[in-house]
Amino acid sequence: MNNDSKILIIEDEAPIRRFLDILTTGHGYQVKTVETAQEGLKQIITWSPHLILLDLGLPDADGLDFTKELRSWTETPIIVISARDKEADKVLALDAGANDYLTKPFGSGELLARIRVALRLNVTMNSVEISQHQFGDVVLDLAMQTVTNAGEVIKLTPKEYRIFTLLAKNMGKVLTHKQILKEVWGGNYTEHAHYVRIHIAQLRHKIERSPAQPQYIITENGVGYRLISDD
């Protein structure tokens, strides 16, 4: 059970709000639910949740603007839950600062899995930075700035290494093409998504056991990538 983890649900549709409340409390989380962005903001300030489940279609605020506002002063993970199912909507939410995006309707198991990933990310952000990440036989050592496979050094290009470390520092979080381009190439390259695709393909060939069926660097179609561990 996860009795120490607090989840704030910001959702104006009563049936969905009840479903989310029952699902998360039933799995041991401490949960509060609100209907508006204003109520959500008060709870974030006073209750300090470990995770926010956020609907974009709120009655008193645009969810994207609200996400951007939160990101200006808090790193609390945000999972967007929305009926907007276009790739462009997902990209906008993730670029605004959301950690993940689920489209309604969704399965209980999928939501719970995303919650666990986001909460692990929150623990990582609020603890001493992890210096090593392991993926099967592959070890990324941030302190030594090396990548090894079964003890043998893997030679990555500077761009490949920066992408790998960026994904590792945001373990489980979806990073859009634009976010990766901005961090690795700079602000003038945010429209060159093919740069990322090429380097991700090269990186997979060096660290994945089966590059065509990646186990660690996962594609979010039309959106970007996330890195997951064996946990």
Side-chain angles (χ1 to χ4, degrees):
M1 303 296 276
N2 303 281
N3 296 322
D4 291 334
S5 297
K6 300 187 292 186
I7 298 177
L8 175 64
I9 298 167
I10 308 176
E11 166 64 67
D12 67 323
E13 293 186 47
I16 297 176
R17 192 168 62 249
R18 283 196 298 270
F19 165 73
L20 293 173
D21 189 6
I22 293 169
L23 177 65
T24 49
T25 55
H27 283 78
Y29 297 107
Q30 298 180 54
V31 179
K32 288 191 177 183
T33 66
V34 297
E35 300 178 38
T36 66
Q38 184 175 4
E39 292 172 321
L41 186 59
K42 291 179 182 177
Q43 291 297 332
I44 293 167
I45 294 171
T46 60
W47 193 50
S48 300
H50 300 109
L51 174 65
I52 300 165
L53 301 183
L54 174 66
D55 178 32
L56 292 183
L58 299 174
D60 63 335
D62 177 79
L64 294 177
D65 291 338
F66 186 56
T67 299
K68 291 177 183 177
E69 178 187 348
L70 292 179
R71 275 295 166 262
S72 69
W73 57 274
T74 179
E75 290 297 320
T76 302
I78 299 169
I79 299 178
V80 165
I81 296 175
S82 176
R84 304 176 193 176
D85 59 358
K86 295 180 180 179
E87 289 178 355
D89 294 319
K90 298 179 182 179
V91 171
L92 286 172
L94 293 164
D95 280 341
N99 295 73
D100 210 340
Y101 192 110
L102 270 178
T103 302
K104 300 174 184 176
F106 50 83
S108 300
E110 182 179 11
L111 174 60
L112 290 169
R114 302 290 182 94
I115 286 174
R116 289 193 294 271
V117 169
L119 287 172
R120 284 200 297 270
L121 176 64
N122 188 55
V123 170
T124 300
M125 290 188 303
N126 289 283
S127 62
V128 177
E129 183 174 331
I130 297 173
S131 63
Q132 282 193 349
H133 298 274
Q134 185 158 0
F135 312 88
D137 291 332
V138 175
V139 176
L140 167 63
D141 191 319
L142 297 175
M144 299 296 294
Q145 296 187 344
T146 59
V147 180
T148 57
N149 187 348
E152 297 292 326
V153 174
I154 301 174
K155 293 183 179 180
L156 301 183
T157 68
K159 289 288 194 297
E160 290 167 357
Y161 180 78
R162 289 180 67 185
I163 292 171
F164 198 17
T165 56
L166 178 65
L167 290 169
K169 289 177 179 179
N170 292 276
M171 185 73 69
K173 178 180 178 179
V174 181
L175 295 181
T176 66
H177 296 104
K178 184 176 180 180
Q179 289 170 330
I180 296 171
L181 285 163
K182 184 177 180 180
E183 291 295 326
V184 177
W185 277 269
N188 294 327
Y189 292 85
T190 54
E191 303 303 321
H192 298 272
H194 63 285
Y195 286 9
V196 179
R197 288 192 288 268
I198 291 169
H199 283 75
I200 288 289
Q202 294 170 344
L203 188 54
R204 280 174 171 160
H205 275 284
K206 295 180 179 181
I207 70 166
E208 295 278 4
R209 186 168 299 174
S210 176
Q213 296 178 311
Q215 184 178 356
Y216 304 116
I217 302 176
I218 307 303
T219 300
E220 297 290 339
N221 289 329
V223 177
Y225 303 91
R226 79 167 87 221
L227 185 64
I228 60 174
S229 67
D230 296 299
D231 296 336

